[in-house]
Every structure is written in C-alpha cells, then in structure tokens.
Amino acid sequence: MRRSEEKVHVHFKSLQLEDPNFVDLGWNSFFENTFLELDDPALIPARVLEESRGIYRIRSAREEHAARIAGKIRYLAQARKDFPAVGDWVTFAPTKEGQARIECILPRKTKLSRRVAGRGLSEQIVAANVDTVFVVSSLNREFNLRRIERYMTLVWNSGATPVVLLNKADLCADVGAKGSKSEVENLAPGIPVLLLSALQQEGVESVRNHISRGQTAAFVGSSGVGKSTIINALLRATPLRVQPVREDDDRGRHTTTSRQMIFLPGGGSVIDTPGMRELQLWDSEEGLSRAFEDIAALAENCKFRDCAHGGEPGCAVEAAILKCQLMPDRLENYRKLQAELRFQERKADPEMARQEKERWKRIHKAMRHKHRN
C-alpha cells in the first residue's frame, strides 16, 4: 500500500469527509456508511472515471490507478449492470504487480440507465451516482419537444435532478429562442430551462451554478447538440474534441466515444456521454409519471380509474385537449412511451405476457358478443 493511501486509510474512520480530495470526488455519508460496513482494512475506496475494454481508470483520494475487476465480480455478474460504470464508487486492493484490482461496487445512490440499443433486453448504465443531469438540445433543426420528453422520463427515473439546456441560441432568432424556451417550460414545469451559446461563451455561468463542489453532473443528448463544447466552456479549455454538425441536416458526428468523468476548476465534476441514436427506456414507470405530471393530474378526474384516454366517457384528459389545455402531441407521446414500457415488461416477464394475452382475448370475446347482439 502506498504511503498516501496508508494516510487516507488510517484516518478514514474518523473524519474522512473533511478530506477536500474526497469531497471533490463526490464522497459523502451515504458511501462512507456502506464502505465502513465492509470492515475490510485492505480495501481502499475510489471512483470510476472511465472504462475502456475492461480497463477502468479509477481515482482514490490522491492518485489515479488503472484497474481490472476481480474474478468474483465477473463470476457473480448476471448482466451488464453488475459491472462498474462511470461514476461508481468501488473498493480496490493493490496487487503485487503494482496494479489495482476492483473488489466490489458500492451501492449506487442514483443511476442513469437505458435499455441497450438493438433488440437486447438488458439495462445499460450510462452514469452512476449523478446529482444533476443536463438534457441538452440545440436550437436548430435538431430541436424536438418529444425527444426532450423522452430524455426527461429517463432522468426522472434515475433519481437525479434534470436541467434542460437549449444550446446554440446564436443560431436562432431571439424571439424564436425565447419561444422554444417557453415550450419546454410548459412541458416541464418547475424544471430549470437555460438558454446558452457555448461556442460564444454565453450563458455558461448559469450552467456552472447548477454544479456545486462535490456534486456530479452528466450531460445527455443527441450527437452534435454541443455537450463537449459546453464542458470545454466550463473548463475554460479544450480537452474534449469537438466536430461541426453536418450542414445538410444539422445532425452531429459522434465525437465523444466513451463516457468519462472530468473535474471542474473550483470543485464539482461532469460526465460526458456519447450521443444516443437510440434512447430506449428502462423501468421508467416512475420517471414517466414525473415527466408527464400534468397528464397524471388530469387523469385523477377521469370518470373511470383505468381510463386509457382513448374515447372513454368522462375522460378529463381528452376534455383538456378540447379546451386547448393539453397538446394532442404530448398525449400521443405519453401513450407511445407507456406502450413501450408495457411491451418491455411483457417481454421480460412471460407470466405478465400471458395475462396480457388473456386480457385481450376477453376484450375481443366481449366485442364479438356485443356485435352479435
């Protein structure tokens, strides 16, 4: 064990939270308590900064290490979520070869996750132990309210706090930018919506105000919306490579290819993530309710408790659409995301799929009986 690590470990059970290096890493009483329960003097806590082909870059109180996972983690893992993710707190032990071996993953306080791209049915953790998630959209042809709703559902389900960033305000007329901001505020009441132009360093300080010392923020959004440019502006440097969007459709080129944690001057850290071509939800029932609180509130006044808002008598949601209090596109997107989650549940749970099939058989039987009469 290195001398600096010995010093950290010897004083760990006293007032470790006072160590400024640990505070900046995001260490708090939640992780301290779970670490102390391990009661293993050979283990050292560290945070995962980056992962590349099975090699993890981790940081302890004062040093960075290249680490591999212990065989027992690989043996016990049943899915991708059982491996370390960027933002995780782990414990490691130095090896005789001078390398580090990750022995366990501490429980996650929050996790930003999605369903893996393609037809697979498993959870992919985008970032762990994040306090704030910046949902980034650009004010050009990429701007899409329905996509923002999908991202908001993902963030609310993570346990983190969402903030919407509308970047590239310089490409949009002032009136148009303010109009887009109002549209987002209407679909996400109470959530901060910030206008900025990272390339021109405008509005960046308002983003910085949402990242306190010891806090971790993640940036999510499509390729080309300017996530890496915003982080470079926060760093007042250009460590992250950026590329211009394609001129024909304003879509971005993949520049960030792996997730990595970056520390900001003055405290706080951010996680840059690659643009997501597919954003499939994972276990987001709670997130869906939070992202569509207005529809949930209206549904409380529907005549029937199981109202599907599709022509039933006494539907308060459809009444709100007729009164222009709710946009039809928002309800349609809500239905789409709800159906996506139900399909995922049926696929994951054969018994639920059987029950759903039986339910529809009863419905069709009742409809045939009704037509006969």
Side-chain angles (χ1 to χ4, degrees):
M1 187 180 297
R2 299 177 183 178
R3 185 178 300 275
S4 58
E5 301 295 358
E6 286 180 348
K7 182 177 180 182
V8 169
H9 184 73
V10 167
H11 297 286
F12 197 84
K13 291 189 178 181
S14 54
L15 295 174
Q16 185 61 38
L17 287 177
E18 294 182 2
D19 188 322
N21 295 296
F22 254 47
V23 171
D24 289 342
L25 279 173
W27 187 262
N28 56 40
S29 58
F30 176 86
F31 304 112
E32 182 180 31
N33 291 336
T34 54
F35 174 76
L36 293 177
E37 288 175 2
L38 298 175
D39 196 25
D40 188 339
L43 297 180
I44 301 166
R47 199 162 191 197
V48 177
L49 307 185
E50 191 173 8
E51 186 270 332
S52 178
R53 300 188 180 188
I55 303 296
Y56 296 87
R57 184 163 62 93
I58 63 175
R59 183 174 180 83
S60 58
R62 289 176 175 79
E63 295 176 310
E64 287 191 12
H65 309 262
R68 293 182 181 271
I69 58 173
K72 62 181 178 182
I73 294 180
R74 190 178 303 277
Y75 177 77
L76 295 173
Q78 297 181 348
R80 293 178 63 170
K81 66 181 179 64
D82 299 321
F83 291 91
V86 174
D88 265 327
W89 278 97
V90 298
T91 63
F92 74 96
T95 65
K96 294 179 180 179
E97 294 77 18
Q99 298 176 340
R101 184 179 63 245
I102 296 174
E103 298 292 342
C104 77
I105 306 167
L106 296 183
R108 294 162 177 143
K109 191 174 183 181
T110 64
K111 61 173 182 176
L112 181 66
S113 61
R114 65 168 180 170
R115 180 180 157 188
V116 294
R119 295 186 178 183
L121 189 64
S122 61
E123 180 182 12
Q124 178 187 24
I125 297 177
V126 178
N129 301 315
V130 173
D131 302 288
T132 302
V133 177
F134 293 109
V135 177
V136 187
S137 178
S138 56
L139 291 172
N140 53 16
R141 282 176 286 180
E142 193 276 337
F143 180 74
N144 187 309
L145 289 173
R146 307 288 79 85
R147 186 184 297 118
I148 292 174
E149 287 173 339
R150 180 175 283 265
Y151 273 110
M152 292 292 288
T153 302
L154 191 81
V155 176
W156 277 124
N157 199 61
S158 73
T161 301
V163 175
V164 180
L165 304 183
L166 301 180
N167 192 27
K168 305 185 182 181
D170 55 296
L171 300 180
C172 185
D174 185 55
V175 175
K178 290 180 179 178
S180 298
K181 182 174 184 286
S182 297
E183 287 182 301
V184 177
E185 288 173 336
N186 288 335
L187 65 86
I191 302 304
V193 181
L194 310 179
L195 288 174
L196 69 151
S197 173
L199 199 60
Q200 298 187 358
Q201 300 282 321
E202 295 176 358
V204 176
E205 193 57 36
S206 61
V207 179
R208 184 68 177 88
N209 292 337
H210 286 274
I211 311 172
S212 304
R213 184 185 175 206
Q215 298 281 296
T216 302
F219 288 77
V220 296
S222 304
S223 296
V225 296
K227 300 186 297 295
S228 296
T229 304
I230 295 170
I231 293 175
N232 285 341
L234 291 169
L235 290 168
R236 302 182 183 89
T238 56
L240 299 181
R241 191 164 62 91
V242 297
Q243 295 188 76
V245 297
R246 298 196 299 257
E247 293 183 2
D248 57 342
D249 59 3
D250 281 340
R251 291 188 178 275
R253 303 174 176 90
H254 280 294
T255 304
T256 301
T257 56
S258 65
R259 299 167 191 86
Q260 58 177 314
M261 180 178 289
I262 302 157
F263 297 99
L264 300 178
S269 58
V270 295
I271 297 176
D272 189 24
T273 66
M276 300 180 189
R277 287 197 177 98
E278 285 190 54
L279 183 59
Q280 301 187 68
L281 303 180
W282 178 264
D283 189 25
S284 296
E285 283 292 348
E286 182 179 349
L288 190 66
S289 299
R290 294 292 301 273
F292 292 87
E293 282 185 339
D294 53 343
I295 294 179
L298 288 168
E300 292 291 329
N301 298 315
C302 288
K303 182 176 181 179
F304 300 106
R305 182 174 298 177
D306 59 348
C307 182
H309 323 307
E312 294 89 343
C315 177
V317 175
E318 292 192 318
I321 290 178
L322 293 175
K323 296 176 184 177
C324 297
Q325 297 173 345
L326 179 69
M327 296 301 294
D329 288 352
R330 181 161 169 79
L331 175 60
E332 183 60 31
N333 199 36
Y334 172 75
R335 286 173 172 158
K336 180 180 178 181
L337 298 179
Q338 194 175 52
E340 185 178 316
L341 288 173
R342 286 177 177 170
F343 173 77
Q344 179 179 294
E345 289 172 351
R346 292 195 302 271
K347 193 172 180 181
D349 189 340
E351 176 61 21
M352 182 179 291
R354 187 191 64 78
Q355 292 176 2
E356 186 75 0
K357 185 177 180 179
E358 289 296 324
R359 187 175 76 88
W360 280 107
K361 285 173 66 176
R362 290 194 298 271
I363 292 173
H364 292 154
K365 183 177 180 180
M367 289 175 65
R368 288 195 300 269
H369 180 74
K370 179 179 179 181
H371 288 309
R372 289 195 190 104
N373 296 334

